[in-house]
């Protein structure tokens, strides 16, 4: 089953002599249970690619199908719902809310999506248990290590049971041991629950966990 399909996606900024092509007719299919790594030099278009795939940026041309739905035709309000309920984001910086404890970081996401509170609380406990963070659930971000903060960020990304997970350099700020653990968590969620995931990374230490590796160079994608 295809979770994500990008067909001839281009992203162009500016006009005339000032025109910059960030993505140039990029196509990619991601199946359920597939973990794809994206590599390439800085400035090659990797982050733009991830933002377009996650409906944070609209493409200049092309089609994006998420679970069979063409999301390029949706309104801004509809795209917000798609991002909340169908896509989980993990960034290089954990981006945790400083005044929320670990448990509330997860429940906040569910409240935004309108989930039932009891079910959300149960889901939060299951995720914190699976990531060995139950003992830290009432701690705040400044009381956690970098690896712990990134585990909370992953739990938050998984909270609404998204079908697509997008990770932008999730191991960049972590040491080898914790970086590997974070990438393994992502891979396990993808394979055990039949999700699809794309991870942009410069970290060669975790590429062996990916099913496929694609390269973006000068806005073009190569497999």
């Amino acid at each position: 089953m295809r979770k994500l399909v990008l067909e001839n996606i281009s992203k162009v900024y500016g006009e005339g002599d000032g025109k910059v092509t960030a993505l140039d007719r990029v196509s990619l299919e991601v199946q359920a249970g597939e973990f794809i790594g994206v590599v390439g030099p800085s400035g090659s278009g990797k982050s733009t690619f991830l933002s377009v795939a996650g409906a944070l940026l609209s493409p200049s041309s092309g089609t994006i199908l998420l679970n069979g739905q063409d999301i390029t035709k949706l309104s801004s309000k509809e795209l917000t719902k798609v991002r909340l309920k169908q896509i989980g984001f993990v960034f290089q910086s954990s981006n945790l809310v400083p005044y929320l404890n670990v448990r509330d970081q997860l429940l906040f996401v569910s409240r935004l999506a309108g989930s039932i509170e009891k079910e959300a609380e149960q889901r939060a406990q299951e995720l914190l248990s699976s990531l060995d963070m139950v003992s830290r659930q009432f701690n705040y971000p400044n009381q956690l290590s970098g690896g712990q903060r990134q585990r909370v960020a992953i739990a938050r990304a998984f909270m609404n049971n998204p079908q697509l997970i997008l990770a932008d350099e999730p191991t960049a700020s972590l040491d080898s041991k914790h970086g590997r653990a974070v990438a393994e968590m992502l891979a396990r969620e993808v394979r055990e629950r039949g999700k699809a995931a794309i991870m942009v990374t410069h970290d060669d230490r975790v590429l062996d966990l990916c099913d496929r590796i694609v390269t973006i160079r000068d806005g073009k994608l190569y497999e």
Side-chain angles (χ1 to χ4, degrees):
M1 178 182 173
R2 298 181 302 177
K3 293 288 187 180
L4 178 69
V5 179
L6 296 98
E7 297 178 345
N8 291 315
I9 295 295
S10 292
K11 182 62 179 178
V12 179
Y13 296 100
E15 298 178 353
D17 293 340
K19 185 169 72 171
V20 175
T21 301
L23 293 177
D24 187 5
R25 291 167 293 177
V26 166
S27 294
L28 181 71
E29 293 188 8
V30 189
Q31 309 288 335
E34 191 171 29
F35 188 24
I36 292 182
V38 179
V39 299
S42 296
S44 59
K46 300 188 304 297
S47 291
T48 300
F49 168 77
L50 211 63
S51 294
V52 168
L56 294 171
L57 276 178
S58 297
S60 302
S61 60
T63 302
I64 303 172
L65 301 176
L66 180 59
N67 295 319
Q69 181 182 29
D70 185 354
I71 65 173
T72 57
K73 295 179 179 177
L74 299 181
S75 67
S76 176
K77 187 175 181 179
E78 288 169 329
L79 282 174
T80 298
K81 288 183 180 178
V82 166
R83 287 192 296 268
L84 265 176
K85 297 187 176 183
Q86 297 191 53
I87 305 174
F89 295 94
V90 182
F91 300 102
Q92 178 176 343
S93 170
S94 57
N95 289 336
L96 300 181
V97 182
Y99 52 83
L100 292 180
N101 64 35
V102 167
R103 178 176 174 273
D104 287 341
Q105 302 278 347
L106 276 57
L107 295 179
F108 178 64
V109 174
S110 283
R111 291 187 190 111
L112 287 176
S115 299
I116 298 170
E117 193 156 342
K118 281 189 177 180
E119 292 179 1
E121 289 176 357
Q122 182 178 347
R123 172 74 171 157
Q125 287 300 310
E126 288 172 355
L127 284 168
L128 292 174
S129 177
S130 70
L131 298 178
D132 195 25
M133 289 296 292
V134 172
S135 64
R136 295 284 192 169
Q137 64 179 311
F138 297 115
N139 288 140
Y140 290 86
N142 66 355
Q143 298 171 312
L144 304 175
S145 68
Q148 288 170 336
R149 286 195 294 270
Q150 197 63 305
R151 271 187 274 168
V152 177
I154 289 174
R156 184 178 61 183
F158 294 169
M159 190 63 193
N160 290 335
N161 197 25
Q163 295 305 298
L164 175 65
I165 299 164
L166 301 176
D168 191 2
E169 300 282 4
T171 67
S173 60
L174 303 176
D175 60 30
S176 179
K177 177 184 175 182
H178 291 107
R180 179 77 182 184
V182 160
E184 286 175 347
M185 289 172 203
L186 291 169
R188 186 168 60 247
E189 179 76 3
V190 168
R191 287 163 190 147
E192 289 182 359
R193 297 180 180 270
K195 300 182 185 302
I198 299 174
M199 177 177 65
V200 166
T201 186
H202 283 108
D203 192 347
D204 294 341
R205 302 168 299 180
V206 299
L207 288 177
D208 62 298
L209 295 169
C210 299
D211 299 300
R212 270 193 294 154
I213 299 169
V214 300
T215 302
I216 293 183
R217 194 179 302 117
D218 298 326
K220 293 182 179 289
L221 189 147
Y222 304 88
E223 290 206 41

